[in-house]
Amino acid sequence: QVQLVESGGGLVQPGGSLRLSCAASGSRVSINVMGWYRQAPGKQRELVASLPSGGSTTYEDSVKGRFTISRDNAKNTVYLQMNSLKPEDTAVYYCHAQIKILGLSYNYWGQGTQVTVSS
């Protein structure tokens, strides 16, 4: 069982910045993928950014050039640096982790952290 604890959400004005952190614990195997999803009111959860271990990043088109995902494998922690925030970035942001055991994938989610971009 993998536990994910997020931090760093809050209220920020348009154009501002926030940094989200997510620390994973409890995994007995290396975490394959860590990333961030978000869900705005009335919308489906969507991928924001994903970073496989030893792989290349994936970003949702609307955040490219503004958000940066990074990972500290030694600490099992993933970060999301969000710059030039827009009101449409307002959502609950969820940390995601995926591990693989004997070819099967297991997905885990954090509790979510609210990001509100408003003047």
Side-chain angles (χ1 to χ4, degrees), residues 34-86:
M34 295 193 80
W36 295 91
Y37 286 69
R38 67 186 179 187
Q39 188 167 18
K43 294 187 177 181
Q44 290 188 333
R45 189 174 297 189
E46 64 175 2
L47 173 68
V48 177
S50 180
L51 181 53
S53 177
S56 57
T57 58
T58 298
Y59 291 100
E60 196 270 328
D61 285 346
S62 70
V63 308
K64 287 180 180 177
R66 300 188 298 122
F67 291 11
T68 302
I69 188 172
S70 61
R71 190 173 161 175
D72 185 335
N73 291 325
K75 295 181 179 180
N76 272 344
T77 300
V78 65
Y79 306 95
L80 185 68
Q81 178 66 43
M82 305 185 292
N83 299 328
S84 302
L85 283 160
K86 303 175 181 180

Side-chain angles (χ1 to χ4, degrees), residues 73-118:
N73 291 325
K75 295 181 179 180
N76 272 344
T77 300
V78 65
Y79 306 95
L80 185 68
Q81 178 66 43
M82 305 185 292
N83 299 328
S84 302
L85 283 160
K86 303 175 181 180
E88 50 263 44
D89 295 318
T90 295
V92 178
Y93 283 69
Y94 296 91
C95 179
H96 167 255
Q98 183 189 82
I99 64 173
K100 286 190 174 181
I101 301 175
L102 299 178
L104 296 178
S105 296
Y106 299 85
N107 295 289
Y108 298 91
W109 299 91
Q111 78 283 1
T113 185
Q114 178 70 46
V115 171
T116 302
V117 184
S118 174

